[in-house]
Amino acid sequence: MSIKLSKLFKSASLLSVLAIALAGCGTKPAPAPAPDANAGKKPAETTTAANSLEQIKKAGKIRVGLMGTYAPYNFLNEKHEIDGFDADVAKAVAKRLGVQVEFITGEFSGLIEGLQKDKYDALVSQVTITEDRKKTMDFSTPYVKNAVNVVVKSDNTTIQKLEDFKGKKIGVGLGTNDEKYLRDVAMPKVGTFEIATYNDVITSLKDLNVGRIDATINNVFAIKPLVEKNQFKVKVVGEPIKEDFAGVAIRKNNPELLDAINKALAEMKADGTFKEIFQKWFGVDPNF
């Protein structure tokens, strides 16, 4: 009895081992994961990286930032509408893009920051093209050349040129390329002088007119209507101290929008639109 049971247990154990072995051989391997359909592809572009030109066309408008206080370039007219040379250029560009213009005004010192924060799609406000600015924004081809002159009171006899600024108080627009020029170029060249900054041209001219500052530097086209309207007793002296080019500024890495703006400006120059706008505001042919 014990011998038969022992043999039976041995037989049962052997059958169990064989059963396990056979079961192991018959088990199918776990299925391999399905291939990734997106493998090797670049991540999809986010909404923020979308084509700016497409977004503008979809919205049906381009948001243009400008000062609104810099006649005859951009200002509020008697109807409280944005008007001026820059405004007309922006409208003509927008027309060729197939959209309307939404003008948004702000102090010049905040326009560039506003562009970076997507408050504007473009700046058309006499933004001077400089190497420093090219690092943070892209510019269209130039649409105007501006000569900058020294402006003093009509009875002034002490300041005739840039070199006479030493020891004087000179007014300039805050955050403008002219301010940078005074600090980085003029002062090292002629010696120390005081710089007073302003958020608009009219206030600087008022201060010059009453003697709070000794001189200012600005574009003659820009100050002419203000001087005539307010009968300021000021005058331009000497030759231009520098010449600048302004362009339409946009955020970097928007090649489609930049190309479209450049194409629009080229068409305006070719068909005479730009010449008409220039003559309307300055009374002369385009200066470059």
Side-chain angles (χ1 to χ4, degrees):
M1 181 76 176
S2 60
I3 294 174
K4 288 181 179 180
L5 287 173
S6 176
K7 289 181 177 179
L8 181 62
F9 287 143
K10 287 181 179 179
S11 297
S13 298
L14 180 60
L15 289 171
S16 298
V17 171
L18 288 172
I20 292 170
L22 289 172
C25 292
T27 301
K28 294 181 180 180
D36 186 355
N38 294 318
K41 294 183 180 180
K42 294 181 180 179
E45 290 188 354
T46 62
T47 303
T48 55
N51 184 324
S52 290
L53 179 61
E54 289 181 0
Q55 291 179 336
I56 289 168
K57 289 188 174 183
K58 184 177 181 180
K61 66 181 181 181
I62 181 170
R63 299 167 301 160
V64 172
L66 37 65
M67 292 173 64
T69 57
Y70 197 42
Y73 293 99
N74 54 82
F75 62 97
L76 285 175
N77 61 24
E78 295 177 352
K79 297 180 181 178
H80 297 284
E81 299 170 335
I82 294 295
D83 208 347
F85 173 74
D86 288 337
D88 281 355
V89 169
K91 290 174 185 175
V93 168
K95 181 179 180 180
R96 284 162 174 76
L97 297 183
V99 297
Q100 300 295 313
V101 179
E102 178 186 356
F103 290 120
I104 305 173
T105 60
E107 294 177 351
F108 189 87
S109 56
L111 289 180
I112 293 174
E113 181 181 359
L115 178 67
Q116 304 301 343
K117 292 184 176 180
D118 197 28
K119 183 178 180 180
Y120 320 108
D121 297 309
L123 303 180
V124 189
S125 190
Q126 295 304 296
V127 184
T128 301
I129 302 170
T130 69
E131 293 305 314
D132 281 346
R133 287 176 177 167
K134 284 181 180 179
K135 295 175 183 177
T136 58
M137 66 189 81
D138 286 330
F139 285 93
S140 71
T141 53
Y143 68 90
V144 66
K145 179 176 75 173
N146 294 316
V148 177
N149 285 78
V150 175
V151 186
V152 297
K153 288 187 68 175
S154 297
D155 60 359
N156 166 81
T157 58
T158 60
I159 299 176
Q160 300 296 322
K161 55 188 182 301
L162 190 67
E163 286 73 15
D164 297 327
F165 281 8
K166 185 175 181 180
K168 301 296 194 299
K169 186 175 183 179
I170 312 301
V172 70
L174 177 64
T176 63
N177 189 54
D178 290 346
E179 180 189 2
K180 181 175 176 59
Y181 175 82
L182 286 182
R183 297 187 187 280
D184 297 349
V185 179
M187 195 174 292
K189 178 181 179 181
V190 308
T192 303
F193 53 85
E194 184 179 352
I195 296 176
T197 57
Y198 296 88
N199 284 318
D200 55 63
V201 179
I202 185 67
T203 306
S204 65
L205 290 174
K206 285 179 179 178
D207 277 7
L208 178 62
N209 190 60
V210 298
R212 292 192 185 98
I213 57 176
D214 298 301
T216 184
I217 64 171
N218 216 310
N219 178 345
V220 176
F221 284 153
I223 67 169
K224 183 179 178 181
L226 293 175
V227 171
E228 293 175 348
K229 180 179 179 179
N230 295 278
Q231 298 184 330
F232 291 138
K233 304 300 181 183
V234 301
K235 64 183 179 181
V236 173
V237 294
E239 296 296 320
I241 59 175
K242 66 187 182 82
E243 291 183 334
D244 298 321
F245 291 90
V248 178
I250 65 171
R251 285 182 296 282
K252 291 191 74 67
N253 302 318
N254 285 290
E256 297 88 357
L257 178 57
L258 187 64
D259 288 347
I261 291 173
N262 281 335
K263 180 182 178 183
L265 290 172
E267 290 175 352
M268 290 162 58
K269 291 176 181 178
D271 66 17
T273 300
F274 185 77
K275 182 177 180 179
E276 289 179 8
I277 294 173
F278 204 93
Q279 288 180 331
K280 172 184 174 181
W281 292 105
F282 306 127
V284 296
D285 287 343
N287 53 7
F288 77 102

